[in-house]
Amino acid sequence: MSLDNYLDQKGRIFDIQKYSIHDGPGIRTIVFLKGCYLRCRWCCNPESQEYDIQNMTVAGKTKVIGRDVTVREIMPEILKDMQYYRRSGGGVTLSGGESLAQPDFTEALLYACKANGLHTAMESTGHAKFEVIERILPHLDLYLMDIKHTDSRKHQEFTTQPNGLILENARKIAELAKELIIRVPVIPTFNNTPDEIRAIADFAASLPNVKELHLLPYHRLGQDKYAGLGREYLLDGIEPLNNDDMLPLLAVAEKSGLKCQIGG
């Protein structure tokens, strides 16, 4: 994509969250993009998965999910909080969905953010052709990458996609990214055993330049959205994980030598 007209690049988003203290350093604005290659059973943003604009029932009312915007249209909203970014070392994080599913918009938006001196981050599964990722990396200060499982069969069972491309890209991203943090959504019945966490942590520790691993405990905050979309929540009945559940897994992950934490 040529960046000559980057401000006019269009993309499809479904939310902009301000004053976030997660998903990167400092106070951040998170832009949520529509579309994802995976269908993780635990996804807390199921409205992000389809690229199409959708209707979702929220508190008994119909809400339209998704709108088309240009970089030019949303940059003023992002830049309103420049004083908070500067004071806290914050910036902008792209989330979703999967930002790599809209590479032209993602590249243009990150380019605009960097042109305005903002710290940039992206939450991503890394499930895309590497030439797409390679376009994004020069405009990205922090890559927050999910590694969900090292077993491809189980990964596909719970996300609909095998993990080969993801693991392959993780090694390439680790070589080229300014900073890469590996994040693990810890999901009961999927990857919450010590052996599974140990395998993921050891893989993360094998990546060049990776120093941190974040364990993200399963929660059910997005469960009601499935009903609002007329979909079944496939982890119904699974209890959220608490600190007592997570601390033994944290201890296992720390044996990899990485700096590990619960939450991110």
Side-chain angles (χ1 to χ4, degrees):
M1 182 195 77
S2 170
L3 288 169
D4 293 342
N5 300 308
Y6 69 95
L7 289 173
D8 296 318
Q9 181 62 52
K10 292 182 179 180
R12 183 165 293 176
I13 68 173
F14 68 95
D15 197 12
I16 297 178
Q17 179 182 318
K18 316 235 335 174
Y19 312 117
S20 174
I21 56 171
H22 303 289
D23 305 316
I27 296 172
R28 310 192 69 80
T29 294
I30 305 180
V31 181
F32 292 87
L33 278 65
K34 271 282 222 169
C36 188
Y37 301 119
L38 276 59
R39 296 291 182 270
C40 301
R41 293 184 184 180
W42 60 88
C43 181
C44 62
N45 291 325
E47 74 274 34
S48 75
Q49 295 176 350
E50 296 292 339
Y51 177 75
D52 293 341
I53 294 174
Q54 299 169 283
N55 291 328
M56 183 170 73
T57 302
V58 180
K61 297 181 179 180
T62 299
K63 181 180 180 180
V64 176
I65 305 296
R67 61 188 174 104
D68 292 331
V69 296
T70 64
V71 173
R72 188 188 304 277
E73 288 172 327
I74 64 172
M75 282 306 297
E77 187 170 354
I78 290 171
L79 294 175
K80 283 179 184 177
D81 296 321
M82 181 66 84
Q83 61 177 324
Y84 297 109
Y85 308 144
R86 286 177 174 165
R87 290 175 183 173
S88 68
V92 174
T93 300
L94 303 192
S95 186
E98 171 55 73
S99 301
L100 299 175
Q102 296 189 52
D104 290 347
F105 179 67
T106 292
E107 183 181 9
L109 181 54
L110 290 172
Y111 181 85
C113 289
K114 292 306 297 177
N116 283 277
L118 298 181
H119 180 277
T120 57
M122 181 176 72
E123 291 185 284
S124 170
T125 67
H127 191 280
K129 293 180 179 179
F130 189 70
E131 50 261 40
V132 170
I133 299 171
E134 206 167 17
R135 288 168 45 191
I136 305 301
L137 290 178
H139 317 299
L140 196 62
D141 293 308
L142 173 61
Y143 201 125
L144 299 164
M145 184 176 184
D146 274 10
I147 300 292
K148 300 172 170 65
H149 214 290
T150 57
D151 182 275
S152 190
R153 180 199 58 78
K154 198 166 187 182
H155 191 280
Q156 184 164 7
E157 179 186 353
F158 277 75
T159 73
T160 73
Q161 296 291 338
N163 67 359
L165 180 62
I166 292 169
L167 300 184
E168 178 184 342
N169 282 340
R171 295 197 178 280
K172 296 176 182 177
I173 293 167
E175 291 277 3
L176 297 176
K178 295 173 186 174
E179 183 179 7
L180 172 63
I181 294 176
I182 300 301
R183 311 214 299 183
V184 186
V186 182
I187 312 299
T189 73
F190 174 57
N191 66 355
N192 68 321
T193 68
D195 285 347
E196 288 166 314
I197 294 300
R198 181 181 296 108
I200 297 171
D202 287 346
F203 173 79
S206 76
L207 300 174
N209 307 314
V210 170
K211 299 175 182 177
E212 290 188 44
L213 181 131
H214 298 171
L215 300 178
L216 311 181
Y218 168 70
H219 59 74
R220 297 188 302 202
L221 297 180
Q223 183 172 352
D224 290 345
K225 296 178 181 180
Y226 287 81
L229 291 167
R231 292 176 53 186
E232 179 185 3
Y233 184 66
L234 296 177
L235 295 185
D236 190 32
I238 300 295
E239 293 297 322
L241 295 175
N242 58 39
N243 220 40
D244 289 340
D245 299 317
M246 295 298 298
L247 286 175
L249 301 177
L250 178 65
V252 167
E254 287 175 333
K255 292 179 180 178
S256 68
L258 295 173
K259 178 183 176 183
C260 300
Q261 68 183 54
I262 298 171

